Amino acid sequence: MVAAGRSNAQIAAALYLSPKTVRNNVSNVLAKLQVTDRAQAIVRARDAGLGR
């Protein structure tokens, strides 16, 4: 969903999670991908064929 450009609030609503849970998970994903922001994560995901 991050790769599709959705906000934390949109992701939280779609998955019935709190925005804080989504924010924490997005932070963990960014750390694991070794990127500094969502834009870099989106580029990585799209290069891998996700988010289209």
Side-chain angles (χ1 to χ4, degrees), residues 7-46:
S7 69
N8 286 350
Q10 292 170 325
I11 295 169
L15 298 177
Y16 304 103
L17 298 170
S18 75
K20 182 167 174 43
T21 299
V22 173
R23 186 172 57 241
N24 288 339
N25 282 293
V26 169
S27 292
N28 289 335
V29 168
L30 297 179
K32 287 180 182 186
L33 291 175
Q34 298 178 345
V35 297
T36 57
D37 58 21
R38 291 171 83 99
Q40 290 178 340
I42 290 169
V43 169
R44 283 253 183 114
R46 293 207 172 141

